[in-house]
Amino acid sequence: MAINILPENIANQIAAGEVVNRPASVVKELMENAVDAGSSSITLIVKDAGRTLVEVIDNGCGMDETDAQKCFLPHATSKISTESDLRNLTTMGFRGEALASIAAISQVEMKTKTENSDLAEEILIDGGEIKSISKTTSQLGTDIKVKNIFFNVPARRNFLKSDSVECSHISDAFIRIALINPNISFTYIRDDHVIYKLEKATFRKRIVDIYGNTFNKNLLEIREKIDLVEIEGFISTISLTKKSKNEEFFFVNNRFMKNSYFANAVERAYSSLIPPKTYPCFFIHLKVNPKDIDVNIHPTKTEIKFIDDKIIYSILNAAVRKVLGQNTLSNSLSFEKSPINFPAPDKNFTPKNNSLNYTSAYNPFAKQNANPSFDFNSKVNNVKVQTEISFNNENVFENDTNNSTPINHNICFQFLNKYIITQQNNSILLINQFNASKKIIYEFLKGRTAMIMPSEKLLLPYTHKFSQIEIISLKDKTTLLKDIGFDFTINEDNTIDFTAVPKAMTMLNAMNLLNDAISEEINNDDRALILADKLAIKNGKILTHNEMVDLINQLLQCKEPEFLPLNERVFLRVNEDFLNKFFF
């Protein structure tokens, strides 16, 4: 087979797969370019989860006519010119791949104007091909619109997730850049609604503006400096923990970084102070010599290689432990010396001469036959006790798996407030009510069955304030949350008035459940199983006859109702053949 040189447009589409895998990738690249342009104000506009439009407007330095045309060429960059520049990177972008890759799989409109130009340059690109170049009026800076992403690569467009998932990734990309650039004002508009409007602020204020006032009261400053690295930022108090790692942030020289090794250094410092399976929040900025890191090891530049990460690990762990120790001790211990006062002795006190009476002949181990007519050993030997029933018989479970067969509603009762016993055809069903309820709710959360769970009205509305990112997630999951028993109203100040919660749940448990629901995607198997566990009817709860019948009917509508996803058994089915063999 002959080897061919790919046409430039096809090569660019293939290369774009490394840089642009979803609309959030476009957001990241365009916003980083806006930061590198020296902007003091950046606006992000998104429509249809980025499928229809991703637009970034900045007031940076802009580009002249020559640079505006060059910027969409592969490997065109203003950031580096020599090999030594790669070892002294101080900008976000440097490869010159982003705009070329974005243009190859979308329709792009760009307006850009420098301070010395009277008119702006306007360029229209369709699938990597320049359609027109003209002059227009515009403000200082760059306004770039990316429309119809993957319009010419439909297979890749089909791999995009739901709007809520894609919007979540876009929010993540926006927050990562906005957090570490508090000297820049940011605005994020999604489908004509303002999601974030962040004014210039300090790093601490930027964290609070994004995540809410709860963080303001629970942030501890961390600051440490050695020749290799300077550490600064904020960590959470032990009273502010999360069930996910969504609020763990590392930045290196103003660049967001993923680093599970360094995250472990921070988490270990908290290990004996916070509950298991919970995680601290931290926003830590590492300043290092650009020569001591390599940011060019991953296409998205979120993974960074350090020359000596072990030393940084140790310093980071020690710095966090130091701050936590100072805070914990200052809040829980008092070092003020207070005198110890002993009562004055009573001069008229005379000790009593108490005597102890005992009988020297008493022997507590002497044999005493309290009931000489009863011989315990002889009685036990004459008793045959059956202590175990074996269920290894091959006919215990029916081969008939037709779960649509109706149950006998007349034979349905609760045993030990834990099991439900009923009859189906010639079989007895012994159902674990907790596992049955868990199975039903799990199937519902996975979208396999339809149901509406009972809720309980509150006497008075309960108001809670959420961060902006939590509000976004909550809005996306409103239908689901109301189906599982919540009823609420979202206010403009990011507070929510709750008027109902899932039945038989305390407000504290309901809020914990809500935080779990909005922190992760429910269609994930593990998350759905965790939520089902919390919502399920607990063993020990007394059920009415109608509640038992409803539970059984819903269970038998599930696919493979006998087992939960982790092979936990939901019910036993005992048939007549087994009973006949057991008793006869």
Side-chain angles (χ1 to χ4, degrees), residues 563-569:
F563 295 96
L564 282 162
L566 299 179
N567 287 328
E568 297 174 272
R569 185 171 288 281

Side-chain angles (χ1 to χ4, degrees), residues 411-466:
I411 304 176
C412 185
F413 60 93
Q414 198 174 18
F415 179 61
L416 298 177
N417 295 336
K418 182 177 181 179
Y419 302 101
I420 300 172
I421 300 176
T422 189
Q423 179 183 354
Q424 184 185 38
N425 290 337
N426 293 325
S427 299
I428 297 174
L429 302 185
L430 295 90
I431 303 169
N432 181 298
Q433 68 185 40
F434 172 73
N435 285 356
S437 178
K438 184 175 176 179
K439 173 70 174 180
I440 295 165
I441 297 170
Y442 172 79
E443 294 291 327
F444 163 70
L445 294 174
K446 294 292 291 178
R448 297 169 184 163
T449 59
M451 67 175 292
I452 296 179
M453 298 186 61
S455 61
E456 190 169 326
K457 292 288 184 181
L458 300 176
L459 293 176
L460 294 173
Y462 175 80
T463 302
H464 186 81
K465 185 176 180 64
F466 291 87

Side-chain angles (χ1 to χ4, degrees), residues 301-357:
K301 301 190 284 285
T302 56
E303 297 179 14
I304 298 176
K305 187 175 181 180
F306 291 77
I307 286 181
D308 202 335
D309 53 0
K310 292 183 179 179
I311 293 179
I312 297 177
Y313 181 101
S314 299
I315 296 299
L316 188 58
N317 178 262
V320 174
R321 292 176 62 183
K322 173 184 173 183
V323 173
L324 288 175
Q326 291 173 341
N327 179 261
T328 304
L329 288 174
S330 63
N331 288 337
S332 60
L333 298 179
S334 173
F335 295 95
E336 295 181 1
K337 294 182 178 180
S338 55
I340 302 176
N341 298 318
F342 293 95
D346 186 354
K347 295 180 179 180
N348 299 323
F349 174 75
T350 302
K352 295 181 180 180
N353 184 16
N354 295 325
S355 60
L356 178 66
N357 298 322

Side-chain angles (χ1 to χ4, degrees), residues 277-527:
K277 296 184 180 179
T278 62
Y279 303 95
C281 305
F282 57 80
F283 309 85
I284 296 176
H285 187 195
L286 307 177
K287 296 181 179 179
V288 299
N289 190 323
K291 295 179 180 180
D292 294 337
I293 59 174
D294 182 3
V295 301
N296 197 29
I297 62 173
H298 192 274
T300 62
K301 301 190 284 285
T302 56
E303 297 179 14
I304 298 176
K305 187 175 181 180
F306 291 77
I307 286 181
D308 202 335
D309 53 0
K310 292 183 179 179
I311 293 179
I312 297 177
Y313 181 101
S314 299
I315 296 299
L316 188 58
N317 178 262
V320 174
R321 292 176 62 183
K322 173 184 173 183
V323 173
L324 288 175
Q326 291 173 341
N327 179 261
T328 304
L329 288 174
S330 63
N331 288 337
S332 60
L333 298 179
S334 173
F335 295 95
E336 295 181 1
K337 294 182 178 180
S338 55
I340 302 176
N341 298 318
F342 293 95
D346 186 354
K347 295 180 179 180
N348 299 323
F349 174 75
T350 302
K352 295 181 180 180
N353 184 16
N354 295 325
S355 60
L356 178 66
N357 298 322
Y358 66 96
T359 302
S360 60
Y362 174 71
N363 182 4
F365 300 101
K367 292 184 178 180
Q368 295 182 3
N369 193 353
N371 187 0
S373 65
F374 178 76
D375 185 346
F376 179 80
N377 291 327
S378 65
K379 294 292 183 182
V380 170
N381 290 334
N382 292 327
V383 176
K384 294 182 179 179
V385 181
Q386 182 173 343
T387 59
E388 182 177 326
I389 297 176
S390 174
F391 283 96
N392 292 327
N393 189 291
E394 62 182 1
N395 292 321
V396 172
F397 306 108
E398 288 185 347
N399 293 326
D400 179 16
T401 58
N402 183 11
N403 296 313
S404 62
T405 304
I407 64 170
N408 188 339
H409 291 179
N410 295 323
I411 304 176
C412 185
F413 60 93
Q414 198 174 18
F415 179 61
L416 298 177
N417 295 336
K418 182 177 181 179
Y419 302 101
I420 300 172
I421 300 176
T422 189
Q423 179 183 354
Q424 184 185 38
N425 290 337
N426 293 325
S427 299
I428 297 174
L429 302 185
L430 295 90
I431 303 169
N432 181 298
Q433 68 185 40
F434 172 73
N435 285 356
S437 178
K438 184 175 176 179
K439 173 70 174 180
I440 295 165
I441 297 170
Y442 172 79
E443 294 291 327
F444 163 70
L445 294 174
K446 294 292 291 178
R448 297 169 184 163
T449 59
M451 67 175 292
I452 296 179
M453 298 186 61
S455 61
E456 190 169 326
K457 292 288 184 181
L458 300 176
L459 293 176
L460 294 173
Y462 175 80
T463 302
H464 186 81
K465 185 176 180 64
F466 291 87
S467 68
Q468 183 64 53
I469 194 169
E470 289 172 328
I471 291 290
I472 295 172
S473 179
L474 194 144
K475 286 180 177 178
D476 291 335
K477 298 171 183 174
T478 295
T479 301
L480 173 68
L481 292 172
K482 292 194 174 184
D483 283 347
I484 64 176
F486 287 97
D487 196 8
F488 53 83
T489 302
I490 303 176
N491 304 315
E492 292 184 358
D493 60 351
N494 288 352
T495 61
I496 294 182
D497 296 330
F498 291 92
T499 55
V501 296
K503 192 172 182 180
M505 264 199 172
T506 65
M507 198 65 223
L508 177 61
N509 290 339
M511 293 308 296
N512 288 336
L513 172 67
L514 185 74
N515 288 328
D516 283 346
I518 65 178
S519 63
E520 298 287 347
E521 283 305 307
I522 307 302
N523 57 8
N524 176 284
D525 286 350
D526 292 337
R527 301 304 303 175

Side-chain angles (χ1 to χ4, degrees), residues 42 66 75 104 155 175-176 198 217 239 247 302 351 386 404 407 435 443 462 530:
I42 298 174
T66 302
H75 310 298
I175 287 171
R176 290 168 182 175
L198 306 172
K217 297 177 286 187
S239 60
E247 282 78 41
T302 56
Q386 182 173 343
S404 62
I407 64 170
N435 285 356
E443 294 291 327
Y462 175 80
I530 290 172

Side-chain angles (χ1 to χ4, degrees), residues 208-334:
V208 174
D209 287 344
I210 293 175
Y211 289 101
N213 289 329
T214 303
F215 278 75
N216 190 35
K217 297 177 286 187
N218 289 283
L219 289 179
L220 304 175
E221 186 174 13
I222 179 172
R223 191 177 293 274
E224 204 69 44
K225 184 177 181 180
I226 61 173
D227 290 341
L228 181 64
V229 62
E230 181 179 352
I231 301 172
E232 61 181 30
F234 296 91
I235 61 175
S236 64
T237 63
I238 59 176
S239 60
L240 177 60
T241 59
K242 299 287 183 176
K243 295 184 179 180
S244 68
K245 299 185 179 184
N246 292 342
E247 282 78 41
E248 294 186 353
F249 288 90
F250 278 115
F251 302 95
V252 178
N253 296 349
N254 290 346
R255 183 191 301 276
F256 171 76
M257 171 189 71
K258 293 180 180 178
N259 194 310
S260 58
Y261 182 58
F262 288 165
N264 178 261
V266 178
E267 291 165 4
R268 279 187 60 193
Y270 283 84
S271 59
S272 61
L273 302 174
I274 61 177
K277 296 184 180 179
T278 62
Y279 303 95
C281 305
F282 57 80
F283 309 85
I284 296 176
H285 187 195
L286 307 177
K287 296 181 179 179
V288 299
N289 190 323
K291 295 179 180 180
D292 294 337
I293 59 174
D294 182 3
V295 301
N296 197 29
I297 62 173
H298 192 274
T300 62
K301 301 190 284 285
T302 56
E303 297 179 14
I304 298 176
K305 187 175 181 180
F306 291 77
I307 286 181
D308 202 335
D309 53 0
K310 292 183 179 179
I311 293 179
I312 297 177
Y313 181 101
S314 299
I315 296 299
L316 188 58
N317 178 262
V320 174
R321 292 176 62 183
K322 173 184 173 183
V323 173
L324 288 175
Q326 291 173 341
N327 179 261
T328 304
L329 288 174
S330 63
N331 288 337
S332 60
L333 298 179
S334 173

